Amino acid sequence: MQFNSETVVNGVIERGFTLGEITGALWSPEQGTDGAPLLLSGHSGGMHKHAPGLVANARYLVTECGYTVAAIDAPGHGDRPQDAEDIAARAAFQRAHQTGEPMGPLIVEYNTSLAERAVPDWQATIDALQELPEIGPDAPIGYGGMTLGVAIGLMLTAVEPRIAAASFGPVFVYDALIEAARKTSIPVEFLIAWDDPQIEPQPTITLFDSCASQDKSMHAYPGDHRGMRGLESSHRARFFARYLG
């Protein structure tokens, strides 16, 4: 892991890093984080590690909880180059937007590929973060994400035993996520938008039911998933404080 930038704003240190082809950011308290929980933050589809909502959530968890927060760009997002699959998918999204055809099937197909590629990226990132003296191998680890971040997070938590708790938002649900949920037994919470015309709540409820965890909760909010972003930080802070300390 190579750090290539560092800024300090209102007591929060933000460092940019690269790990091979992986590009990411790490937020931590200026006064130190030895032994503090580590939160992994997955960005939404079409966004990146510096998406405004993700950054605001990271800063909140650092200042209010003393956590360290890490985010990485998904393949083909942010500072990572797009391959032929990424370019073709984005062209398909643009055509669908122009013609009015449903976006869901296109998003499901692309998210499946992205999740498969992103899981080993996150595992390599955890390896590298645990080698940092301010984090170490014993820091509790949680994961949070919405939309694409949920697809990646569920596939990751199904195979990564180092993650102790996870908070998931709305997501386009498909068979591979149901299978991943059946392998996920850590404490989880699901946040859903009850009136979302794009990401209907019922599939996420089915995903919640499929999750193997005996300690799980679901919280529904009015409106669509974009209106949840202002509620995400404080809600997840309470959830992670319960399970990570």
Side-chain angles (χ1 to χ4, degrees), residues 39-52:
L39 267 295
L40 312 177
S41 186
H43 64 73
S44 299
M47 302 301 287
H48 48 77
K49 63 184 178 297
H50 283 131

Side-chain angles (χ1 to χ4, degrees), residues 58 64 68 102 106-107 112 123 126 187 191 201 221 226 243:
E64 297 298 320
T68 300
L106 297 174
I107 292 173
T112 301
Q123 291 179 308
I126 295 171
L191 313 178
Y221 294 93
R226 293 168 295 183
Y243 294 104

Side-chain angles (χ1 to χ4, degrees), residues 3 18 23 35 41 44 48 70 76 78 81 96 106 117-118 172 186 198 209 223 228 237 241:
F3 290 102
T18 58
T23 52
S41 186
S44 299
H48 48 77
L106 297 174
R117 290 185 279 164
F172 287 98
I186 60 174
Q198 292 184 311
D209 287 339
M228 292 173 53

Side-chain angles (χ1 to χ4, degrees), residues 29-202:
E30 187 176 12
Q31 70 271 21
T33 61
D34 291 353
L38 168 65
L39 267 295
L40 312 177
S41 186
H43 64 73
S44 299
M47 302 301 287
H48 48 77
K49 63 184 178 297
H50 283 131
L54 187 154
V55 173
N57 187 52
R59 291 184 174 278
Y60 184 93
L61 290 167
V62 170
T63 56
E64 297 298 320
C65 304
Y67 293 170
T68 300
V69 181
I72 62 174
D73 291 321
H77 288 66
D79 293 322
R80 301 186 66 171
Q82 296 182 20
D83 64 13
E85 181 180 0
D86 300 320
I87 294 170
R90 297 194 181 200
F93 292 150
Q94 186 175 14
R95 288 194 302 270
H97 180 73
Q98 292 171 345
T99 61
E101 67 180 275
M103 298 285 285
L106 297 174
I107 292 173
V108 165
E109 181 180 3
Y110 188 45
N111 281 6
T112 301
S113 170
L114 288 174
E116 290 173 350
R117 290 185 279 164
V119 166
D121 289 347
W122 267 120
Q123 291 179 308
T125 300
I126 295 171
D127 291 342
L129 291 171
Q130 288 185 322
E131 293 179 0
L132 299 177
E134 63 268 36
I135 295 177
D138 299 322
I141 300 175
Y143 181 96
M146 294 180 67
T147 63
L148 172 62
V150 180
I152 293 172
L154 266 171
M155 300 295 284
L156 177 64
T157 55
V159 299
E160 179 48 71
R162 291 174 290 185
I163 297 176
S167 175
F168 299 127
V171 63
F172 287 98
V173 178
Y174 50 94
D175 290 346
L177 293 190
I178 297 292
E179 290 302 314
R182 289 170 177 162
K183 299 175 184 177
T184 299
S185 57
I186 60 174
V188 296
E189 70 167 1
F190 284 75
L191 313 178
I192 63 172
W194 198 251
D195 306 301
D196 197 322
Q198 292 184 311
I199 307 177
E200 296 180 357
Q202 185 57 53

